Amino acid sequence: MSQKDKTDDSLYRREAKVYPRDVKGTFASLRKLAMVVLLGLYYIIPWINWAGHQSVLFDLASRKFYILGLTFWPQDFIFLTLMLIIAALSLFFVTAVAGRLWCGYACPQTVWTEVFLWLERLVEGDRNKRMKLDASPWNSNKVMRKTAKQVLWISFALWTGFTFVGFFTPIRELAYSVISFQLGPWETFWLLFYSFATYGNAGVLREQVCKYMCPYARFQSAMFDKDTLVIAYNEPRGEPRGGRRKSDVPTEKGLGDCISCTLCVQVCPTGIDIREGLQIECIACAACIDVCDQVMDKMGYDEGLISYTTEHRMSGKETHVLRPRIFVYSFLLLALTVGVLWSVNQRVLLRADLLRDRNALYRELSENRIENVYTLKLINMDFIPHQYRIEIVGNDDMVLFVSPEPKLEPEEVGNFILRMQAPESAGHGSVKVDVRFSTIEEPVIERTVSTRFLMPYD
Ligand code: SF4
Ligand code: SF4
């Protein structure tokens, strides 16, 4: 079999390159605004300090997460889990109300693809020029433009990778390490890996990530119903489509309002034709709405041949924004958000763990006294230093001694030896003891911890 036959018989069809045309309009402006805000937050937030720390830093080495003035310790992992659940529920809620709003305006893939496309347009021009350049033979102009584009893409990808690592390593130290060529192996790996992922996904694969790789695109349809906002072509109004002069009256020519200009296909970042109906590839970016409205304006027709609508509205039925699933999502979201905010606010910024000395059950002292020894691990989760008062609650016969003096610097973890003593007459076997830890300084932070005190059985 010749090479040509082999190619013709291949089950793999080469993906046609999509050259999205630039578009202006209301939704394009909203998309750009979302892009500026989101990317601004991504690139600027790690450089802003809050309460003495980087405003968002997932410090894996010291196992502490700093988020907007709050410090989350490994013991606070439940809050992070709940925050992730809130994020997922928000996505479900927005999808149920407004369809793929996330995909079109806020998804990192969409946002970074927009930037890569913008850089490409900057160097190679808009759709027609890019198509012409790709089809032209290699010459100095093509080499120069392609090289310039790659330099911009790679620089932007590296900056993105650097910022990503800056969420896990203090970004100022990271910047110093980069410029002084002292980057560690893991930082180098993640910086290059994330840069490569950004370049590959947003620069090379683009719409193919949405079409073939994104799991959200697959399961979000389960959250859709006939009242969910979608972007759709008004087929009864638009068909039969066909070219005409502006002065023509469509009804006299037996035509609908679609003039078959194909601009809605040319602006589509996933390269689909919205006139063929709702498609899983549509990321609801609304570029086709903007461009079609402009065409309608030029032709003197009403805008909205392609519009945000619902399946119910398309079939002439009433659309209901408030429906049972919206109430369920709203209730869960509100309850969880209030619960997490309240619990974070009520957090006690002090941890105390008492671990019994395993080498001896108890020690018998003079004057019929019994002693138990514990290792005390104290964590000052506050941003200021503290000295602690440690006392036994509700057992006047018992006394305790701590060494060294329980003082901790901000966010310091300290280990101490705690000795508890009681007269033999205080009990038998294992006795429950409550130990209260409180700060000397006002406002008092306090926590009570229970442990067991072992005594002879007879
Ligand atoms: S942009 Fe509007 S008029 Fe032009 S082909 Fe698309 S739907 Fe038809
Ligand atoms: S069909 Fe329209 S809304 Fe959907 S991805 Fe294409 S341009 Fe965006």
Side-chain angles (χ1 to χ4, degrees):
M1 196 184 283
S2 71
Q3 184 59 42
K4 181 178 182 308
D5 292 339
K6 273 188 201 161
T7 311
D8 290 346
D9 287 346
S10 169
L11 292 174
Y12 173 76
R13 184 165 64 88
R14 198 179 159 77
E15 193 74 25
K17 188 170 174 188
V18 178
Y19 296 87
R21 178 192 280 271
D22 193 20
V23 63
K24 295 197 168 44
T26 313
F27 297 110
S29 304
L30 284 175
R31 246 190 1 265
K32 284 200 178 89
L33 181 68
M35 185 180 89
V36 169
V37 170
L38 293 171
L39 289 183
L41 289 176
Y42 176 79
Y43 292 102
I44 292 171
I45 272 187
W47 292 99
I48 298 174
N49 279 358
W50 192 318
H53 290 286
Q54 191 169 309
S55 53
V56 177
L57 177 65
F58 304 104
D59 191 345
L60 298 178
S62 61
R63 297 197 292 164
K64 277 185 254 172
F65 291 176
Y66 300 98
I67 302 175
L68 307 180
L70 297 171
T71 306
F72 292 92
W73 295 68
Q75 293 87 343
D76 297 322
F77 198 73
I78 180 73
F79 293 122
L80 297 173
T81 312
L82 289 173
M83 282 180 204
L84 286 178
I85 295 174
I86 289 174
L89 263 178
S90 309
L91 189 61
F92 297 166
F93 174 76
V94 170
T95 305
V97 175
R100 296 181 71 172
L101 203 66
W102 162 261
C103 298
Y105 294 83
C107 171
Q109 174 65 20
T110 308
V111 171
W112 272 312
T113 301
E114 283 273 343
V115 178
F116 274 75
L117 259 172
W118 175 72
L119 293 172
E120 188 172 79
R121 272 192 206 109
L122 204 68
V123 180
E124 297 183 2
D126 202 12
R127 177 183 157 89
N128 291 342
K129 284 190 182 159
R130 296 205 304 275
M131 290 168 86
K132 223 167 126 188
L133 186 73
D134 278 0
S136 71
W138 283 97
N139 54 31
S140 57
N141 174 50
K142 187 166 175 174
V143 170
M144 199 188 70
R145 286 184 190 278
K146 293 283 176 194
T147 309
K149 180 178 85 174
Q150 291 302 330
V151 168
L152 287 177
W153 276 11
I154 291 168
S155 309
F156 182 71
L158 284 171
W159 183 30
T160 306
F162 165 80
T163 307
F164 176 77
V165 178
F167 280 97
F168 297 89
T169 299
I171 200 159
R172 287 177 175 79
E173 290 172 25
L174 185 70
Y176 178 76
S177 303
V178 170
I179 51 181
S180 59
F181 299 101
Q182 289 174 5
L183 216 50
W186 281 110
E187 287 160 340
T188 310
F189 170 78
W190 284 111
L191 195 155
L192 292 178
F193 179 83
Y194 202 78
S195 306
F196 179 72
T198 309
Y199 175 93
N201 288 334
V204 181
L205 295 174
R206 292 186 188 171
E207 77 288 347
Q208 296 185 46
V209 174
C210 309
K211 281 160 93 168
Y212 306 116
M213 293 161 69
C214 175
Y216 175 61
R218 301 285 170 279
F219 75 77
Q220 47 90 27
S221 57
M223 285 173 267
F224 271 43
D225 58 25
K226 289 188 167 28
D227 287 310
T228 300
L229 218 52
V230 290
I231 290 178
Y233 166 69
N234 186 340
E235 195 176 327
R237 180 185 152 189
E239 301 297 315
R241 65 186 82 157
R244 82 286 308 261
R245 282 196 296 271
K246 190 180 172 187
S247 53
D248 290 340
V249 179
T251 43
E252 287 175 2
K253 297 204 129 205
L255 291 171
D257 280 356
C258 174
I259 65 166
S260 239
C261 62
T262 73
L263 280 173
C264 52
V265 183
Q266 295 178 32
V267 296
C268 180
T270 59
I272 59 167
D273 187 344
I274 190 75
R275 295 172 300 170
E276 286 169 12
L278 298 180
Q279 293 153 70
I280 195 171
E281 293 89 350
C282 173
I283 59 164
C285 68
C288 52
I289 300 184
D290 277 334
V291 80
C292 189
D293 279 352
Q294 285 159 22
V295 174
M296 294 295 108
D297 285 347
K298 276 191 195 134
M299 295 301 291
Y301 304 162
D302 288 342
E303 290 183 354
L305 179 56
I306 303 174
S307 65
Y308 275 108
T309 183
T310 66
E311 281 193 59
H312 267 153
R313 196 179 299 154
M314 282 192 281
S315 56
K317 294 186 187 145
E318 203 184 329
T319 292
H320 303 93
V321 178
L322 300 177
R323 38 202 208 277
R325 70 164 66 190
I326 303 297
F327 283 116
V328 172
Y329 286 146
S330 315
F331 172 74
L332 287 176
L333 209 51
L334 192 69
L336 262 175
T337 310
V338 171
V340 168
L341 289 178
W342 184 82
S343 332
V344 168
N345 193 37
Q346 294 296 311
R347 269 187 329 159
V348 178
L349 299 177
L350 154 68
R351 292 250 161 212
D353 290 318
L354 274 172
L355 210 68
R356 280 185 45 77
D357 180 4
R358 290 179 193 276
N359 293 326
L361 291 179
Y362 54 82
R363 279 171 58 196
E364 291 180 0
L365 307 177
S366 58
E367 296 173 2
N368 294 334
R369 294 185 70 77
I370 303 297
E371 181 183 79
N372 281 202
V373 181
Y374 304 80
T375 302
L376 166 65
K377 184 175 171 186
L378 259 186
I379 307 177
N380 176 12
M381 295 159 73
D382 208 353
F383 290 132
I384 53 170
H386 282 300
Q387 185 172 359
Y388 296 94
R389 181 182 293 119
I390 304 175
E391 53 206 343
I392 293 168
V393 186
N395 200 330
D396 297 339
D397 290 341
M398 299 179 86
V399 287
L400 62 76
F401 307 93
V402 181
S403 65
E405 202 182 351
K407 275 182 178 176
L408 289 174
E409 291 300 315
E411 300 193 341
E412 190 184 357
V413 180
N415 288 308
F416 304 88
I417 299 296
L418 187 143
R419 291 183 296 124
M420 254 187 251
Q421 294 178 4
E424 255 183 57
S425 56
H428 304 285
S430 171
V431 178
K432 180 172 173 279
V433 182
D434 292 331
V435 183
R436 182 165 55 221
F437 301 84
S438 54
T439 54
I440 307 276
E441 303 81 14
E442 297 281 343
V444 174
I445 301 170
E446 71 168 51
R447 179 182 284 277
T448 301
V449 172
S450 296
T451 187
R452 309 300 301 186
F453 186 86
L454 296 185
M455 305 189 79
Y457 275 90
D458 46 284

